[in-house]
Amino acid sequence: MAATRAITIASNSTCTLLRKKPFVGGTALSLNNLNFCRTKRSYTCRAIYNPQVVVKEEGQPETLDYRVFFVDKSGKKVSPWHDIPLRLGEDIFNFIVEIPKESSAKMEVATDEAFTPIKQDTKKGKLRYYPYNIHWNYGLLPQTWEDPSFANSEIEGALGDNDPVDVVEIGERQRKIGEVLKVKPLGALAMIDEGELDWKIVAISLDDPKASLVNDVNDVEKHFPGTLTAIRDWFRDYKIPDGKPANKFGLGNQAANKEYALKVITETNESWNKLIKRSIPAGELSLA
C-alpha cells in the first residue's frame, strides 16, 4: 500500500488571513484561521480552522495510476493548485514540490483532474522522463496561472502555457513530491517553449543554510556561481535528445531580477483569480 505522509501548511490566502504562525521546518508549515478559496458553482471562500493536511499517495510510483493527493483533516481532498494559498507575507510564497532534485520522472499537477493531484506526465500512453536528472527541486506556485489568451508584449508576444507558474528551487536539500516549502523569489527566466511562455521563477527555501545570503538575482551568481546559466541551459536543451529544437528565452536570454519575478507572480495570480471566478473560460481545466 502506498505510504501516506503528513505535512502542515501555513500562509495567507487570496481571501483573508486572520493570524499567522511561524515557520516550523522544511516540510512543516501551519495554518491558523485561514480562509481557503474554493469554487464549485460560484466563487466562494470557506474558513478552515487549524487544518492538518496530509499528502496521500494512491497507486504505485512510476505507474499510470499513481497520484499524490492533498487531503485535509476531515479526510476531504483539496487542490494543491487552488486551495493552498500563494502568499505567506511580504515577498514570501508557498511552493509545492512536483519533482525532487536529482530525479528524472516528469511529475506535474494534473490540471484537468478533480482536485488536481500530482501525477507523472504521459505521452502516447507512456510515462515521461527527462533525458537526464534535474538538478534542482522543481514545482509550482499555487494560485497562479499563465493565461493562454494573453500575449506578453515584453516576451515576443508569447502566449501563456495554460499552467501554474513553475519554480526552480536552488537549495541544497533534495525535497519530496508534495512537500510545501516557504520560498523567496530571486529571479525569473522567460522560457519560450514552442511559442508558449513558460516562466521559471528561481527561488530558495527559507530553511536553506544560504537563504539569508541571497535576496536577488545578483546574489545567486555570488553564492551559487554558475547556477543561473546551468538552469537556463538545462531547460533550453532538455528536449534536444528527443529530436526537438532547443527552447528559447526572452528578456535578452538572461534572468530578470527579483522585482520582475514578483511582477510575474502578481500578474499570474491575477489571471488565476479571473480563472477561478470564471471571468475567463476554464476549458478542460479543473477548478475543483
Side-chain angles (χ1 to χ4, degrees), residues 186-190 199 216-217 228 251 254-261:
L186 305 170
L189 284 159
W199 287 106
D216 211 325
V217 70
L228 292 171
L251 302 176
Q254 300 297 319
N257 63 14
K258 176 180 180 176
E259 182 180 3
Y260 200 100

Side-chain angles (χ1 to χ4, degrees), residues 189-254:
L189 284 159
M191 190 176 94
I192 303 171
D193 181 357
E194 298 182 11
E196 293 181 340
L197 179 55
D198 187 1
W199 287 106
K200 308 299 179 188
I201 301 296
V202 179
I204 191 166
S205 178
L206 294 192
D207 68 342
D208 189 82
K210 291 186 177 180
S212 63
L213 303 176
V214 287
N215 294 293
D216 211 325
V217 70
N218 292 332
D219 297 329
V220 178
E221 190 56 36
K222 180 178 179 180
H223 296 284
F224 294 84
T227 294
L228 292 171
T229 299
I231 292 171
R232 184 196 62 201
D233 291 354
W234 194 98
F235 283 99
R236 181 193 65 197
D237 298 340
Y238 79 91
K239 291 186 175 182
I240 292 176
D242 292 330
K244 294 184 177 181
N247 290 319
K248 300 191 300 179
F249 288 85
L251 302 176
N253 211 36
Q254 300 297 319

Side-chain angles (χ1 to χ4, degrees), residues 116-149:
T116 64
I118 298 172
K119 69 171 186 178
Q120 189 166 350
D121 191 22
T122 61
K123 185 176 182 180
K124 297 181 179 179
K126 294 184 178 181
L127 298 171
R128 292 187 66 187
Y129 295 85
Y130 291 121
Y132 29 72
N133 286 350
I134 189 167
H135 307 306
W136 312 274
N137 297 299
Y138 188 59
L140 73 137
L141 290 175
Q143 299 186 344
T144 61
W145 179 57
E146 298 186 48
D147 182 355
S149 69

Side-chain angles (χ1 to χ4, degrees), residues 28 32 46 54 71 84 98 132 134 144 159 170 238 240 279:
N32 268 337
R46 59 182 173 83
V54 299
V71 181
I84 292 178
E98 294 169 303
Y132 29 72
I134 189 167
T144 61
L159 301 172
I170 63 174
Y238 79 91
I240 292 176
S279 299

Side-chain angles (χ1 to χ4, degrees), residues 22-42:
F23 178 64
V24 178
T27 63
L29 303 170
S30 62
L31 275 176
N32 268 337
N33 299 336
L34 176 67
N35 286 346
F36 272 7
C37 291
R38 291 296 308 276
T39 300
K40 292 185 180 178
R41 294 184 181 177
S42 62

